[in-house]
Each structure stands twice: as structure tokens, then as C-alpha cells.
């Protein structure tokens, strides 16, 4: 599972704060946080590179291995978590891949706010492929997962109302 | 009190020749309420127009500053510890988890920091302590394979504005001086960049700026104090982790806070630098810590590095007299 969050040093996608030296030096690079267990399983090194892949995109980030990330047990399955701040992009003093490239377009069914706090992903060591290879990597994942252009486009609220009504 | 100090006794401002100084001013940094927002670091840089320190991901938790230096006068340390805070229940008991990553991470961080920081990095970050609490508190829940819960310490470090400041003692130009507030300040228009003060500081605070050779450190916002304002960092701190005021009052307040924390079961709370009988005569900027000073990268028992200078001079004078006498005797002998 992947989740995204803010850091105190940056503002939204970093469009303003990544241009300021005093804030950029405090959080100078896009990173992903993983537990020591996930680092062992996936072969990730502290401060090394990792590529994170979801149904929508692949991005790269430096790895922070930390005990603050803990694997959780869900119905007898161990689920690992990947934490991603969402403050990076292409311009500014510090640049990096954007976590928001990965996130899905699902809306919270009750309040219709983009629901970006939990999505599935894969994480592998090393930097992401460049150019068309990056697209091919994502397509390979999509093919294996059986994801098409229509996957996840059902309007769940209507579905639920239909069932109960 | 020791009498082996070149500069300052109990009242550094008066001892430096101010006949009617205002009360000695300082900081009490209560790390137990620091939330690691780094507002103090940024406010300090904004006010004092300090350049940025370079963009490097250090891998020391959320600390990408590393340590105090010429271009960092406040530094917020982040320490991840495998140790429970309060009475949390361990949600990962019986999980198939591995040992803490801390030691492994520390190696990577030390290698990455290299000469720049590595040699001076004193903190033992994220040390794993298993079993009963060393302070006699409740036993710590430990997972099947030895992982404990986590405590995240944050602490904002700064120049200590020592009562006996070695940096000041060794400065040959008089650039470093004692202000009427009892603080220690560098005058950048006088500093000639000799760098004597850098190894003299027992805390590794004062540092040379590479591209101009002069040394820089916290001034306790001397310019703001002079017009009755508080320093930028304490003004910006949203939790009052950094408190500014007369040192006497702060020491009282700090002692009260330690008592309060002890009553609340935080037995490990302690003060650092508040004791006027320590090796630097107490510091104008002191701290409340939740673990050993080393954990935060502080020297456990700092001593003003000029402590032995008077004795050394005495020995040097005796030796010089001895040499002169021998030489005289030799000449006297040769004439015969
Ligand atoms: S902490 Fe270091 S720089 Fe600050 S007053 Fe003491 S000796 Fe000088
Ligand atoms: S000392 Fe205050 S301003 Fe500095 S990081 Fe802690 S809470 Fe924030």
C-alpha cells in the first residue's frame, strides 16, 4: 500500500516552497519511506534509489528506511506501507518526481474529495526507466494486473444506492 | 567555583566590565514540547540573512541540516528511538518483523556525511534498548523478534552562550566579545578569520564560512535584544519549546518543568547546561532533554577548553626561566 502526506517544510506540491532556499535545504529531495522489513524484502538501501509503480505511473525517489513505517496485518496478510510526500515536481531549486502522478482518480464516495490516502503499488530498487521505457514498464504492470482504461471508473455511490434502493 | 578561567565568573557581563548590566539573557529550550517544525531554523536564517547550507538529503530522519555551523545557527535534530512514549500499546506484537534498521542506517549516514560532518557526529541515533526501561520505568513491550515501539525526539540546538566561553578567551582580535546581556557575539567587521575559536568551542558551534574565511554563530539576536525584542527563533517557535528571558528566571522555570515531568512519570527528563558548576560555568542557553546528552549530539561533560591555560602559562614561565638560567649558567661556565 502507498500513502501520501505533507512535510512541514513544503507547501502543497511545492510550487512555492521549492523555490525558497531556506525551505528547500530542509527537505532537499523527493523520498519514499519504508520499514526495515520492506527494505529487506524488496532489496532497498537507505538513501539509495527506488522506483514506485502504480496502475497509472512510475516514479523514482530516494529511500529512507525507518522504524516509523510499520507493516500491518490485515486479515492474516502482511501489508507493507510506502510513505510518499507529495511536494516535488519539475521546477524550483529542488526537483523530483511527483507522487501525484501515481495516485488514482477515485473520489471519496461521501464527500467527493479525491481519495489519495491509500492505493496499491509496487516498489523496486533502482531509478526508473527513462523515456518510452517508463511507459512500457507501467504498461507491463497494467497488463499483468488486467487493468484497462475502464478499470475503477464505476460510480460506486450509484452502485450502492442501486443495491439498497 | 573554579578560579581557573580567563573570562567571566558568575556574572559574565559585570566581570567583562559593564558596571550596570541588564539581567543576563538566554534561552531555555524545552525539547519535550518541540514538534520539529524547524520554524526556528528558518526564522533565524531570515532575520540574520544567513545563506543556505546546500541541498543534501542526509538520511538522519527528517534532519537535513546535520549540525550547527557558519550557516546554521539553529539546528533541529530528529532522533528515532526504539522506545515507547508513555503507555502506548504495541499494535505490532507478534508481527513477523525484523530487527531495527537503526544501526544499518547509521552506517550509511556516517559514510555519506564523510569529513564534513561524520567526524564530529556524536549522536548515537536510534539506539535499540530492549527489556526493562533503564530509568526504572515500566518494562517496554518488545515484539517477538525484538522490535520495540518508537519514540521520535526533536531538539533545537544553538550556541550555548557559555558563562566561561573558550571561543572568547582565545580570540586575538577582540572580534568575539561579551555583550551587556552576558551573551557572546562575533563582530564580523573585526574577525580576521584566524579560526582559533573553532577548535576552542567545546560544543563545535562556531564555524568558518568557507568562501569568506570569517567565523559565524548565533548572536542571540543582539540587534533585536538591543531594542527590547526577543530573538527571531523564540519568537517563531509555535510551542514555546524555545523560551527567551533572564537566565535566572529561565533556570527556575526549567527546574519547575522537570519536576512537573517527573510527576507525570517522565522520569528521564533532565536539564543540560543549567548547572552553574559545570565545566563551562553553566550556559546562557540550556536545554531540557529526555535522554542522555550524547543521544542529541551534545558532549556529556563539556569543559571550557581554556581551563588549563593559566596553569600552562605558569608552567611555560617556569620552563622559560629555567631555560634562561641554564643558558646563563652555560655562558658563565664558558667564560671561566
Ligand atoms: S557554545 Fe561555543 S561558540 Fe557558543 S559561547 Fe560557548 S564556546 Fe563560544
Ligand atoms: S524549537 Fe519550536 S520552532 Fe524549533 S522545531 Fe521545535 S517547535 Fe518548531
Amino acid at each position: 500500500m502507498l500513502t501520501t502526506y505533507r512535510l512541514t517544510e513544503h507547501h502543497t506540491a511545492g510550487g512555492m516552497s521549492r523555490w525558497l532556499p531556506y525551505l528547500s535545504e530542509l527537505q532537499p529531495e523527493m523520498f519514499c519511506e519504508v520499514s526495515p522489513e520492506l527494505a529487506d524484502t524488496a532489496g532497498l538501501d537507505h538513501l539509495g534509489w527506488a522506483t514506485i509503480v502504480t496502475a497509472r505511473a512510475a516514479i523514482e525517489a530516494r529511500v529512507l528506511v525507518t522504524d516509523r513505517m510499520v507493516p500491518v496485518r490485515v486479515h492474516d496478510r502482511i501489508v507493507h506501507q510506502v510513505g510518499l510526500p507529495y511536494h516535488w515536481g519539475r521546477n524550483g531549486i529542488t526537483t523530483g518526481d511527483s507522487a501525484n502522478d501515481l495516485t488514482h482518480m477515485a473520489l471519496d464516495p461521501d464527500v467527493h474529495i479525491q481519495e489519495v490516502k491509500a492505493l496499491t503499488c509496487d516498489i523496486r530498487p533502482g531509478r526508473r526507466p527513462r523515456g518510452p521505457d517508463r511507459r512500457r514498464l507501467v504498461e507491463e504492470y497494467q497488463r499483468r494486473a488486467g487493468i484497462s482504461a475502464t478499470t475503477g471508473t464505476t460510480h460506486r455511490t450509484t452502485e450502492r444506492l442501486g443495491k439498497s434502493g | 567555583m573554579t578560579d581557573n578561567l580567563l573570562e567571566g565568573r558568575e556574572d559574565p557581563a559585570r566581570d567583562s566590565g559593564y558596571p550596570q548590566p541588564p539581567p543576563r539573557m538566554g534561552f531555555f529550550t524545552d525539547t519535550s514540547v518541540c514538534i520539529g517544525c524547524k520554524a526556528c531554523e528558518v526564522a533565524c536564517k531570515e532575520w540574520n540573512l544567513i545563506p543556505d547550507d546546500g541541498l543534501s538529503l542526509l538520511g538522519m530522519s527528517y534532519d537535513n541540516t546535520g549540525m550547527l555551523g557558519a550557516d546554521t545557527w539553529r539546528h533541529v535534530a530528529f532522533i528515532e528511538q526504539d522506545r515507547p512514549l508513555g503507555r502506548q500499546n504495541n499494535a505490532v506484537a507478534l508481527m513477523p518483523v525484523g530487527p531495527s534498521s537503526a544501526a544499518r542506517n547509521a552506517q550509511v549516514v556516517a559514510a555519506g556525511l564523510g569529513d564534513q560532518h561524520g567526524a564530529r557526529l556524536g549522536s548515537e541515533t536510534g539506539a535499540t534498548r530492549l527489556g526493562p526501561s533503564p530509568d526504572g520505568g515500566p518494562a517496554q513491550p518488545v515484539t517477538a523478534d525484538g522490535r520495540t515501539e518508537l519514540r521520535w525526539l526533536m531538539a533545537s540546538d544553538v550556541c550555548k552562550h557559555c558563562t566561561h566561553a573558550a571561543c572568547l578567551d582565545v580570540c586575538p582580535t577582540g572580534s568575539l566579545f561579551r555583550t551587556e546581556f552576558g551573551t557572546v557575539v562575533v563582530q564580523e567587521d573585526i574577525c580576521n578569520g584566524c579560526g582559533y575559536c573553532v577548535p576552542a568551542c567545546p560544543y563545535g558551534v562556531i564555524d568558518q564560512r568557507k568562501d569568506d574565511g570569517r567565523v559565524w554563530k548565533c548572536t542571540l539576536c543582539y540587534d533585536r535584544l538591543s531594542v527590547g525584542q526577543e530573538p527571531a527563533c523564540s519568537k517563531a517557535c509555535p510551542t514555546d519549546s524555545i523560551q527567551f528571558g533572564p537566565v535566572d528566571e529561565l533556570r527556575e522555570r526549567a527546574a519547575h518543568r522537570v519536576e512537573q515531568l517527573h510527576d507525570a512519570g517522565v522520569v528521564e527528563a533532565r536539564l543540560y547546561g543549567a548547572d552553574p558548576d559545570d565545566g563551562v560555568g553553566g550556559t546562557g542557553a540550556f536545554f531540557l532533554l529526555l535522554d542522555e546528552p550524547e543521544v542529541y549530539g551534545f558532549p556529556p561533560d563539556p569543559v571550557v577548553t581554556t581551563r588549563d591555560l593559566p596553569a600552562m602559562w605558569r608552567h611555560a614561565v617556569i620552563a622559560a626561566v629555567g631555560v634562561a638560567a641554564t643558558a646563563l649558567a652555560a655562558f658563565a661556565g664558558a667564560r671561566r
Side-chain angles (χ1 to χ4, degrees):
Chain A
M1 298 298 293
L2 177 161
T3 188
T4 63
Y5 43 82
R6 291 165 194 268
L7 303 171
T8 33
E9 292 85 348
H10 286 298
H11 182 62
T12 63
M16 286 171 271
S17 52
R18 275 186 294 99
W19 289 91
L20 300 174
Y22 292 163
L23 295 176
S24 297
E25 67 174 334
L26 296 178
Q27 286 298 356
E29 233 176 308
M30 172 66 184
F31 59 80
C32 61
E33 296 194 271
V34 296
S35 65
E37 294 76 21
L38 179 53
D40 277 348
T41 313
L44 306 170
D45 291 325
H46 190 55
L47 292 183
W49 285 94
T51 296
I52 303 114
V53 194
T54 68
R56 286 170 58 87
I59 67 163
E60 63 186 11
R62 299 286 296 278
V63 177
L64 292 189
V65 181
T66 168
D67 283 343
R68 281 180 292 107
M69 300 300 289
V70 173
V72 291
R73 184 190 289 272
V74 180
H75 292 301
D76 281 340
R77 260 189 75 188
I78 302 304
V79 178
H80 289 289
Q81 307 184 74
V82 177
L84 290 177
Y86 57 73
H87 301 300
W88 273 268
R90 257 177 254 189
N91 48 24
I93 300 171
T94 150
T95 59
D97 281 358
S98 164
N100 283 340
D101 287 351
L102 299 179
T103 51
H104 49 60
M105 294 294 275
L107 298 182
D108 178 286
D110 293 323
V111 289
H112 275 218
I113 282 176
Q114 191 190 2
E115 205 286 277
V116 288
K117 287 302 148 197
L119 49 152
T120 52
C121 73
D122 188 21
I123 187 162
R124 46 204 275 168
R127 305 191 70 158
R128 65 166 164 77
R130 276 18 200 190
D133 288 347
R134 182 184 187 180
R135 187 68 241 156
R136 275 195 281 279
L137 176 74
V138 178
E139 279 165 1
E140 170 62 18
Y141 273 88
Q142 288 170 337
R143 193 187 51 71
R144 273 169 26 216
I147 294 168
S148 74
T150 55
T151 307
T153 54
T154 344
H155 197 294
R156 289 292 172 87
T157 313
T158 325
E159 212 175 58
R160 278 202 306 190
L161 285 178
K163 264 182 204 152
S164 60
Chain B
M1 268 313 289
T2 42
D3 62 354
N4 51 7
L5 301 150
L6 291 180
E7 208 281 329
R9 302 255 190 280
E10 260 109 276
D11 186 347
R14 206 177 293 273
D15 290 336
S16 305
Y18 295 96
Q20 299 270 287
R24 181 180 183 189
M25 302 305 257
F27 289 128
F28 164 41
T29 306
D30 177 355
T31 70
S32 69
V33 292
C34 177
I35 54 171
C37 68
K38 303 182 189 168
C40 46
E41 273 193 44
V42 177
C44 172
K45 290 212 168 194
E46 286 281 356
W47 180 261
N48 294 298
L49 302 173
I50 310 173
D52 74 77
D53 232 351
L55 304 172
S56 43
L57 188 74
L58 298 185
M60 302 162 70
S61 192
Y62 280 1
D63 172 7
N64 293 307
T65 306
M67 63 188 301
L68 294 174
D71 298 333
T72 302
W73 301 354
R74 270 268 173 201
H75 158 229
V76 184
F78 287 69
I79 299 129
E80 297 180 8
Q81 279 189 328
D82 297 340
R83 196 164 176 207
L85 183 63
R87 289 175 214 281
Q88 292 169 351
N89 200 6
N90 191 351
V92 291
L94 305 177
M95 282 283 301
V97 293
S100 160
S101 67
R104 197 170 68 182
N105 285 13
Q107 280 170 5
V108 176
V109 171
L113 288 175
D115 323 333
Q116 193 205 347
H117 294 303
R120 289 159 78 182
L121 187 78
S123 63
E124 170 214 4
T125 48
T128 311
R129 291 150 202 247
L130 306 176
S133 149
D135 308 304
Q140 300 166 30
V142 178
T143 55
D145 29 20
R147 189 148 118 174
T148 64
E149 297 165 32
L150 185 109
R151 179 165 86 152
W152 207 2
L153 299 174
M154 291 136 200
S156 181
D157 191 10
V158 70
C159 168
K160 317 297 178 292
H161 295 278
C162 310
T163 305
H164 309 304
C167 61
L168 191 59
D169 288 343
V170 301
C171 178
T173 62
S175 166
L176 273 154
F177 78 113
R178 180 76 66 180
T179 74
E180 65 271 33
F181 302 104
T183 57
V184 180
V185 174
V186 199
Q187 300 165 85
E188 65 265 26
D189 50 346
I190 298 181
C191 173
N192 69 1
C194 71
Y196 288 180
C197 51
V198 176
C201 171
Y203 302 94
V205 168
I206 197 163
D207 184 27
Q208 237 159 349
R209 193 172 283 168
K210 290 223 162 48
D211 56 359
D212 84 359
R214 292 175 296 173
V215 301
W216 303 82
K217 73 167 194 74
C218 163
T219 66
L220 216 127
C221 285
Y222 186 39
D223 47 352
R224 294 173 64 100
L225 260 59
S226 309
V227 293
Q229 288 199 27
E230 68 173 308
C233 58
S234 58
K235 181 91 183 161
C237 178
T239 63
D240 268 350
S241 169
I242 303 174
Q243 300 177 27
F244 164 75
V247 171
D248 287 346
E249 200 182 304
L250 292 178
R251 280 188 183 150
E252 243 171 73
R253 209 186 294 171
H256 179 74
R257 174 69 180 152
V258 170
E259 235 170 75
Q260 191 185 28
L261 285 169
H262 285 178
D263 287 348
V266 188
V267 287
E268 65 272 31
R270 73 202 70 191
L271 295 180
Y272 178 76
D275 177 7
D277 289 327
D278 71 13
V280 296
T283 53
F286 58 95
F287 302 82
L288 185 151
L289 305 179
L290 296 177
D291 206 330
E292 300 296 338
E294 297 96 310
V295 169
Y296 296 87
F298 289 134
D301 194 12
V303 170
V304 56
T305 47
T306 48
R307 183 186 62 182
D308 298 331
L309 266 188
M312 284 156 66
W313 278 114
R314 272 198 296 277
H315 291 308
V317 168
I318 293 167
V321 169
V323 168
T326 317
L328 270 181
F331 279 117
R335 285 213 190 107
R336 226 173 273 150

